[in-house]
Amino acid sequence: MNKNMKEIELHCRPQWMHQYEAIPKEIWNLLLFRFYVATLLCIYLDLFFLLYSFCQSYLLGVLEDTFVSTVLLVIAQPGVVAYGLLLCHNHNKPPIYYQRRIQRLLMEIPLKLLLLGIVLYVSIFTNWMYARFITDIFDDRLDFLLIHGCCCGIAYFLAERGRCLRRFPLPGKDGGLDIWQSIIQNTCNSRKVGLVVGTALASGLITSSWSAGKMFWALVLTILVLTKLHMIKNIYEMIMQKELPLALIPRVHLGDNERLWDPVVLWIWRQNLWPMPEEMIELQLSFHMALDTKCLYGLHLLAAHEFHVAAASKCDFLCPTLFSLAKINPISWQELREVIMGMVDEFVANMKSAIEDTMSPDQLFQRNAKDKPRKEGMRKLSATLPVKTTPKCLPSHDHLIQRKQTPQVRRTGASLCQPIKGCSKCGRPSVPIDGFHLQKNEMCRCCNVPQKVRIWFRCIWECQSQRMSTWSRLIWECLLPAWIHYLFDTDPIAKINHALRCAEHLDDVLRGLVRICIRSLREDKYGLIQSDLMGFLSALVLVEKQLNAAQNMKIVRNGRLCGTHHKLLVGIKHCMFCMLDHFSPYLDDIVQGDEQMLKILKCWMEKLGIPHTHLP
Amino acid sequence: MEQIEDVQRLVSDPRQDQEAGNSIWTTLYNIFHTWKDYLLQLIQGQQYSRWAPLDYSLAIYRKMMGWDEAYIRCIILHPTSVQKAVVTHKDVVHVFGVGPTAQLQSAEQVDLYCGAFRPCTIHELAVGCAAGIFIWRHVTNTLWDNRVLRHAAHIHVTSVQWNEDGTVLVSAALGSNHIIVWDPESGQTIRFLSSSISFLLYSPDFQMLFGASSDSGASVCYVDRRTWKLEQILEGRRVQTAAWTACSTYLLFVQKDDTNLYAITRNSEVDVFLKPQLFWAFELVANLQTTPFAGQELCRSQPHAIAVDPSNVYLAVIYKKQPFVELFKLCMAKHKKLSILGPEYIYSDDNQTLRTGIFPTCVCFEHGKNGQRNLAIAWTSGHFQLKNL
């Protein structure tokens, strides 16, 4: 049984989706189950039409219509599945770093073309199928149906997915509207309907099959096809963004007894009030597991959102479970804390790296000089530095030392081992050694014409290329049109934006953490998180520092920060206000003598308008 | 003969047929467009339809709130700090308390009705007006930035409420069919709750949102994670003003043209079920018109507004055209009915005006720390009084 389950598991995970190999089995089962449910719901409307057609055909005694409709339905469904799969893949794809806009365009074009192809496939076959269900006026006009289906698909693609591929929105944002209201509103957008009807009119004129009756049914078909396309998107969005079954349980994988259809069986058992079978386990994900699944970006964002909601909601069991388990098992809190602090550390490291890469060499030098500790006291009078260690892979240098020739070596930079090319006649290095400054009498001076010609040509090439780069820069900046610059210019702060986008979940996670800290004032009887408060405050200060550094780089490099920066900045201010407002009477105890941190927090309190006169 | 020719022309004239064809097409075209517009209006406009004409709603509301004689129409207090704001009859919001004072006004900001400071920040407040909701944000020392949340049918916003951590803003508008839940950062609507409400009030524990209509009825919305569940608790009653007690146990309210103070409280069913259904119990607390004082029974007019102390000690009541604020003590004992004791009268302390002829227009308790209790009162003379209790 276990072997069969493993085979099924491997079979379920396609080999081409190698980036999803690190997904825990519970999360994979949950996503698969949701995907299957959403797909079945999408097919439901078509089944309804098929049933109606079957009844009609049965009454009229014409069964071949139903057969054709069934065939069309079967052909159309792989398109629905492919569309849903593409939406889910796009939703969970992590952010990708592009240095230039043209790179992003080139990488996204295949995906957009695939999406357009799938949408056209679905719209054409759906159009054909629905035309058979509702009227027979188009039975002899397959070309009209084809053109009409294409128009619907293109109109939908341009309106919904044309410019940018968006993820599913988080629950509560744009998803609160009733799904049918949302579908109808999107479908009956007058511009889309007008576009499709206008195109249908034109195609009718082209194929010379235009009549008022056909136009009316074309309008009905348009609404049905657009409704179907919107319904697919909304259903997948609604199902995939449903509430996650998160619980504060240890990060231990559940047994192999869990099957994909267990939630359905459990639901049926519960509705009938039957006793629960022993081998059935209700699927639950641990907070740590869900927050740690970085390869599924969309799920990661959802888990962070759910964590925030659970921490803030008084009806949820996260905080009561956390604080009541303190005496029995503090490991749950420690695991959660480590995951969250790990996210903060990762963000800080990524931002530091991105900011360093974005700095110009002058700025980097100034920053390093500023960071380097000043040497106190008198410096040594000797000008030359002693040779400290010689790399072992320099036989010629050893040879020099063996000959008791001690060159005046001044190390200027890199100290990597590299082979030295020595002259066959005199034994001295024939080419300069990186990191070592040799005097003229230490270098080989034997006549070597090919080498000299090579050096001479190299010097000319370097001079000319410098001159050329100046001219090419002038041409690049002045003569080329704006769209070339837009597409091909390097985004100076692309790395910073990439680091920010990868940390979008941090806003919800930090807000949730702050909610737990505030609730601990009343509910934490055992002082579980008391010792961690200083760490949390330090983490908030660090994150804010990186965000300010990104803001400075934006000004210096004349770039544009993404929306995540503003969102994180607002989130950090919110978190700092909540923490300082609630913990200001206890800051002395929390900070425990760290004068610098106390000073920073006092500055924050002054900026936020929180009284701090009681602090030293 | 001519008539026969005319008839023949009518029957067989190709120009006439052509005109007939065109007129049929024109008719069909008009019908198509009419039905399309109607369908779109039906879908998009259903939520925009009003349950009462706007002018009628405005007139009732203004009379109910005593708008015409009020200089200060609304007092806005910050939930955790000493920041305050008052809304004047000139549609200006005066902010003071922390940092430099500011006067917030805008050409579009007319007919201000309500406001609320955003929790977890010191520098942001939402103000409801005729155009929608203005969100003012303090940018630098003297500079305030604003943005407007608008919706087609959500004009003359009469009530705004923030949730506990300031991530969600709820608003109600006069004559509108919906309560709107907003995401303040993006300015988008999160949810529409179907209810004709003009007054909103979160419970102190932020688990429930009370909503009352100026015309009839009141509802409570249970807020839980992703669900917002509405339940009607008062049918046919015209609520003038309401306030929660600090423990969120009782909701005190007064009806229009009535002098009684009522309370409703939640009770759960006798515990047989794991999740017992909650039901609301309604009781009369006191008749405010004839409350005894110093051995005498003083007659008062109808109550205009009430406010409850955050520490559940005091209840402040202001009456229509009465020059004082009446202060009661709340008596909440377990297994006993809620009652109020011993009134105290607070008059205007403005020495520059006579006590007669000026009345309080709005009152609320400050969220004081360290046991301090302050009562903020706005008078018709424009005087703002902060009484320490």
Side-chain angles (χ1 to χ4, degrees):
Chain A
M1 179 73 168
N2 287 344
K3 275 190 187 173
N4 290 339
M5 292 306 299
K6 281 179 185 168
E7 278 173 9
I8 292 169
E9 183 191 319
L10 285 172
H11 182 69
C12 284
R13 295 197 209 190
Q15 296 303 314
W16 54 269
M17 294 169 79
H18 57 89
Q19 68 268 30
Y20 297 142
E21 278 177 359
I23 304 172
K25 187 182 154 212
E26 290 83 0
I27 291 179
W28 187 256
N29 279 353
L30 176 76
L31 291 178
L32 266 184
F33 176 73
R34 288 186 174 189
F35 181 78
Y36 291 150
V37 167
T39 308
L40 282 171
L41 284 175
C42 288
I43 298 171
Y44 180 73
L45 180 69
D46 296 341
L47 287 175
F48 173 75
F49 273 117
L50 185 69
L51 183 68
Y52 164 75
S53 166
F54 179 74
C55 293
Q56 200 181 28
S57 306
Y58 179 76
L59 290 171
L60 294 174
V62 179
L63 289 177
E64 64 176 33
D65 274 354
T66 306
F67 174 73
V68 174
S69 305
T70 310
V71 167
L72 285 172
L73 187 138
V74 168
I75 293 174
Q77 296 325 310
V80 171
V81 175
Y83 187 29
L85 204 60
L86 204 61
L87 288 174
C88 294
H89 172 67
N90 182 60
H91 173 65
N92 284 310
K93 196 174 60 168
I96 302 173
Y97 166 63
Y98 297 112
Q99 205 174 14
R100 294 182 177 82
R101 286 186 185 90
I102 188 71
Q103 286 171 327
R104 188 171 60 159
L105 270 176
L106 290 174
M107 291 301 289
E108 284 188 356
I109 279 174
L111 194 63
K112 285 192 182 177
L113 286 174
L114 181 65
L115 188 64
L116 176 63
I118 290 171
V119 165
L120 285 175
Y121 179 92
V122 172
S123 64
I124 289 167
F125 281 101
T126 307
N127 189 45
W128 196 359
M129 186 171 52
Y130 287 171
R132 295 194 69 82
F133 287 146
I134 59 175
T135 180
D136 55 358
I137 204 169
F138 295 118
D139 282 353
D140 56 340
R141 298 306 319 182
L142 292 181
D143 52 346
F144 176 80
L145 286 176
L146 183 66
I147 295 171
H148 183 253
C150 286
C151 293
C152 291
I154 291 169
Y156 171 79
F157 178 79
L158 290 175
E160 290 293 317
R161 300 277 159 184
R163 285 196 62 191
C164 54
L165 300 168
R166 289 185 292 267
R167 297 176 204 283
F168 298 142
L170 280 173
K173 314 236 180 224
D174 297 330
L177 294 174
D178 183 38
I179 184 172
W180 294 111
Q181 192 181 358
S182 169
I183 290 169
I184 291 169
Q185 272 187 340
N186 282 322
T187 305
C188 293
N189 182 318
S190 55
R191 273 184 290 177
K192 262 188 274 183
V193 173
L195 173 70
V196 178
V197 170
T199 318
L201 182 65
S203 64
L205 283 171
I206 290 166
T207 54
S208 307
S209 64
W210 173 77
S211 70
K214 280 185 179 167
M215 289 314 303
F216 171 73
W217 286 112
L219 177 63
V220 172
L221 270 179
T222 305
I223 291 172
L224 285 174
V225 172
L226 289 178
T227 303
K228 171 76 180 183
L229 289 168
H230 280 295
M231 200 173 72
I232 296 171
K233 181 178 78 81
N234 276 285
I235 285 178
Y236 276 101
E237 179 186 305
M238 183 182 73
I239 300 290
M240 298 307 282
Q241 294 290 79
K242 264 177 69 72
E243 194 175 320
L244 291 174
L246 294 172
L248 199 64
I249 51 177
R251 195 208 295 258
V252 173
H253 288 286
L254 300 174
D256 288 332
N257 293 334
E258 200 180 316
R259 292 172 288 261
L260 199 59
W261 54 86
D262 275 356
V264 177
V265 176
L266 280 169
W267 184 80
I268 295 169
W269 248 249
R270 218 177 270 125
Q271 292 305 309
N272 289 298
L273 297 175
W274 293 338
M276 207 69 72
E278 283 182 12
E279 65 275 10
M280 290 275 185
I281 306 168
E282 191 153 357
L283 175 64
Q284 278 189 322
L285 302 179
S286 73
F287 273 101
H288 330 103
M289 187 191 296
L291 290 172
D292 218 7
T293 312
K294 290 171 198 160
C295 53
L296 291 172
Y297 188 68
L299 185 80
H300 203 198
L301 287 175
L302 181 63
H305 175 78
E306 291 290 314
F307 170 70
H308 178 206
V309 168
S313 167
K314 295 197 171 59
C315 304
D316 202 274
F317 293 106
L318 171 61
C319 286
T321 312
L322 196 67
F323 298 133
S324 67
L325 278 180
K327 217 173 181 187
I328 303 163
N329 183 14
I331 293 175
S332 294
W333 164 246
Q334 286 169 6
E335 282 186 349
L336 192 60
R337 182 194 62 199
E338 291 309 318
V339 167
I340 295 172
M341 288 294 112
M343 286 181 193
V344 171
D345 291 338
E346 190 184 343
F347 169 70
V348 169
N350 286 344
M351 284 297 288
K352 272 187 184 167
S353 162
I355 287 170
E356 268 181 22
D357 290 343
T358 311
M359 276 183 184
S360 61
D362 290 339
Q363 288 169 322
L364 200 59
F365 177 75
Q366 281 173 16
R367 212 271 306 264
N368 287 340
K370 198 173 154 189
D371 288 345
K372 199 176 172 184
R374 262 183 98 166
K375 195 168 178 178
E376 300 290 335
M378 294 286 289
R379 287 178 297 170
K380 286 185 181 173
L381 295 175
S382 60
T384 55
L385 295 170
V387 175
K388 289 181 185 173
T389 51
T390 51
K392 287 180 185 173
C393 60
L394 293 175
S396 300
H397 196 77
D398 287 339
H399 186 61
L400 283 170
I401 290 170
Q402 280 178 8
R403 283 189 178 181
K404 294 183 185 177
Q405 288 175 358
T406 52
Q408 300 285 331
V409 176
R410 291 180 203 88
R411 186 161 289 176
T412 55
S415 58
L416 293 172
C417 291
Q418 53 181 346
I420 296 177
K421 288 180 187 173
C423 176
S424 56
K425 291 178 186 172
C426 62
R428 292 195 177 97
S430 56
V431 293
I433 306 168
D434 284 342
F436 289 88
H437 176 71
L438 298 172
Q439 301 291 336
K440 278 188 185 172
N441 56 351
E442 294 158 2
M443 289 284 294
C444 172
R445 294 169 89 179
C446 300
C447 180
N448 189 349
V449 171
Q451 192 186 354
K452 285 194 175 171
V453 167
R454 238 192 341 264
I455 291 169
W456 186 77
F457 269 113
R458 192 164 58 182
C459 291
I460 290 174
W461 172 252
E462 279 172 8
C463 289
Q464 290 305 315
S465 62
Q466 275 180 10
R467 199 174 291 174
M468 286 296 291
S469 69
T470 311
W471 279 107
S472 62
R473 197 168 53 245
L474 278 172
I475 291 167
W476 182 257
E477 284 175 6
C478 303
L479 296 181
L480 290 173
W483 63 269
I484 297 274
H485 288 289
Y486 178 79
L487 289 174
F488 289 94
D489 276 357
T490 315
D491 185 358
I493 54 171
K495 280 194 175 172
I496 296 176
N497 280 332
H498 176 65
L500 286 167
R501 275 188 221 107
C502 289
E504 196 172 333
H505 57 279
L506 210 56
D507 178 43
D508 275 320
V509 168
L510 290 176
R511 284 177 190 252
L513 185 66
V514 164
R515 282 285 121 199
I516 291 177
C517 294
I518 290 167
R519 287 178 71 168
S520 74
L521 278 171
R522 284 193 304 272
E523 299 174 38
D524 185 12
K525 294 171 195 167
Y526 304 108
L528 174 71
I529 67 168
Q530 202 172 344
S531 54
D532 299 320
L533 290 170
M534 174 64 181
F536 297 153
L537 284 168
S538 309
L540 292 174
V541 167
L542 268 178
V543 171
E544 196 259 348
K545 192 175 160 191
Q546 295 306 318
L547 294 174
N548 284 341
Q551 181 78 15
N552 291 338
M553 285 314 300
K554 170 207 155 187
I555 296 167
V556 164
R557 301 292 290 191
N558 199 22
R560 195 175 151 191
L561 285 168
C562 61
T564 312
H565 179 263
H566 174 74
K567 187 179 168 190
L568 284 172
L569 212 55
V570 166
I572 285 291
K573 280 182 185 163
H574 167 96
C575 292
M576 287 303 280
F577 186 96
C578 291
M579 288 294 280
L580 294 172
D581 190 44
H582 284 86
F583 289 100
S584 63
Y586 319 108
L587 267 184
D588 269 342
D589 296 325
I590 293 170
V591 170
Q592 284 178 355
D594 189 343
E595 298 289 335
Q596 197 179 2
M597 178 54 85
L598 193 63
K599 198 173 162 188
I600 293 171
L601 294 177
K602 274 173 75 174
C603 284
W604 263 103
M605 289 168 85
E606 204 170 305
K607 202 163 61 170
L608 294 171
I610 300 171
H612 57 91
T613 49
H614 59 283
L615 292 171
Chain B
M1 190 63 173
E2 284 178 0
Q3 285 176 357
I4 295 169
E5 283 177 358
D6 286 337
V7 168
Q8 283 177 344
R9 193 175 297 117
L10 280 170
V11 170
S12 61
D13 192 343
R15 280 182 300 165
Q16 198 76 11
D17 288 338
Q18 195 177 1
E19 283 168 6
N22 286 344
S23 69
I24 292 170
W25 171 242
T26 310
T27 309
L28 282 172
Y29 183 81
N30 289 338
I31 291 170
F32 167 74
H33 272 283
T34 308
W35 273 100
K36 189 196 88 172
D37 289 339
Y38 175 71
L39 192 66
L40 280 171
Q41 272 181 12
L42 192 68
I43 292 157
Q44 292 174 7
Q46 186 63 31
Q47 61 185 321
Y48 303 158
S49 63
R50 296 180 175 280
W51 54 273
L54 185 60
D55 293 338
Y56 174 72
S57 304
L58 270 172
I60 288 185
Y61 192 77
R62 291 176 86 92
K63 193 177 167 193
M64 188 174 94
M65 303 304 287
W67 236 232
D68 297 326
E69 56 223 354
Y71 185 89
I72 297 176
R73 291 181 171 168
C74 182
I75 300 174
I76 310 167
L77 299 180
H78 195 277
T80 51
S81 81
V82 295
Q83 185 96 338
K84 297 176 200 42
V86 291
V87 173
T88 65
H89 68 297
K90 290 185 180 173
D91 298 323
V92 177
V93 182
H94 294 265
V95 182
F96 55 97
V98 173
T101 56
Q103 282 87 40
L104 311 176
Q105 52 185 340
S106 167
E108 277 187 297
Q109 188 179 271
V110 292
D111 284 342
L112 286 170
Y113 295 101
C114 56
F117 274 103
R118 188 174 185 178
C120 302
T121 171
I122 202 82
H123 301 304
E124 214 165 321
L125 85 145
V127 176
C129 63
I133 304 170
F134 269 75
I135 297 191
W136 291 93
R137 183 179 286 175
H138 189 208
V139 179
T140 59
N141 210 17
T142 52
L143 185 66
W144 285 73
D145 185 19
N146 74 66
R147 61 182 190 279
V148 188
L149 304 181
R150 291 181 212 269
H151 195 271
H154 210 68
I155 55 174
H156 290 280
V157 174
T158 49
S159 194
V160 287
Q161 288 282 288
W162 292 96
N163 69 337
E164 188 176 8
D165 55 2
T167 50
V168 152
L169 179 66
V170 188
S171 68
L174 271 182
S176 170
N177 237 0
H178 286 84
I179 301 170
I180 295 186
V181 182
W182 304 85
D183 173 20
E185 291 303 321
S186 61
Q188 290 176 350
T189 53
I190 297 175
R191 211 168 277 268
F192 287 92
L193 302 169
S194 295
S195 190
S196 308
I197 295 285
S198 57
F199 171 72
L200 289 170
L201 191 62
Y202 255 116
S203 61
D205 62 0
F206 293 93
Q207 294 292 296
M208 290 177 286
L209 182 64
F210 173 75
S213 163
S214 59
D215 213 34
S216 66
S219 305
V220 159
C221 181
Y222 300 99
V223 183
D224 173 28
R225 290 182 66 109
R226 300 184 187 203
T227 57
W228 294 66
K229 191 177 138 194
L230 269 175
E231 181 191 337
Q232 182 136 32
I233 53 173
L234 295 170
E235 279 190 49
R237 292 181 184 269
R238 299 186 302 166
V239 176
Q240 167 76 28
T241 179
W244 287 96
T245 54
C247 47
S248 308
T249 313
Y250 291 96
L251 178 75
L252 301 170
F253 72 95
V254 173
Q255 293 181 153
K256 276 175 69 175
D257 304 324
D258 191 1
T259 54
N260 290 322
L261 178 70
Y262 299 98
I264 46 173
T265 182
R266 274 184 311 167
N267 289 321
S268 56
E269 288 170 328
V270 178
D271 37 7
V272 171
F273 305 102
L274 285 172
K275 287 186 182 177
Q277 195 77 13
L278 296 170
F279 64 92
W280 291 85
F282 174 87
E283 59 188 24
L284 170 67
V285 178
N287 186 346
L288 296 172
Q289 190 178 23
T290 53
T291 312
F293 174 67
Q296 296 175 3
E297 285 206 353
L298 299 175
C299 280
R300 294 163 194 77
S301 60
Q302 292 150 13
H304 175 65
I306 61 173
V308 175
D309 171 27
S311 48
N312 260 356
V313 174
Y314 291 107
L315 166 71
V317 184
I318 57 176
Y319 299 87
K320 288 183 181 169
K321 296 199 190 277
Q322 301 270 297
F324 54 82
V325 175
E326 195 165 19
L327 206 63
F328 294 95
K329 280 193 179 154
L330 284 169
C331 181
M332 283 192 290
K334 210 171 178 182
H335 305 301
K336 279 190 181 173
K337 202 174 141 184
L338 174 69
S339 59
I340 52 175
L341 306 169
E344 186 186 323
Y345 294 92
I346 301 171
Y347 291 88
S348 170
D349 62 357
D350 184 13
N351 296 327
Q352 295 175 8
T353 56
L354 294 171
R355 281 191 179 176
T356 54
I358 59 164
F359 317 114
T361 53
C362 41
V363 63
C364 56
F365 283 91
E366 197 177 16
H367 300 263
K369 288 184 178 175
N370 303 325
Q372 288 180 355
R373 267 182 227 104
N374 292 324
L375 179 65
I377 309 167
W379 299 90
T380 47
S381 60
H383 175 56
F384 178 81
Q385 180 178 351
L386 204 60
K387 168 86 178 165
N388 182 256
L389 301 173

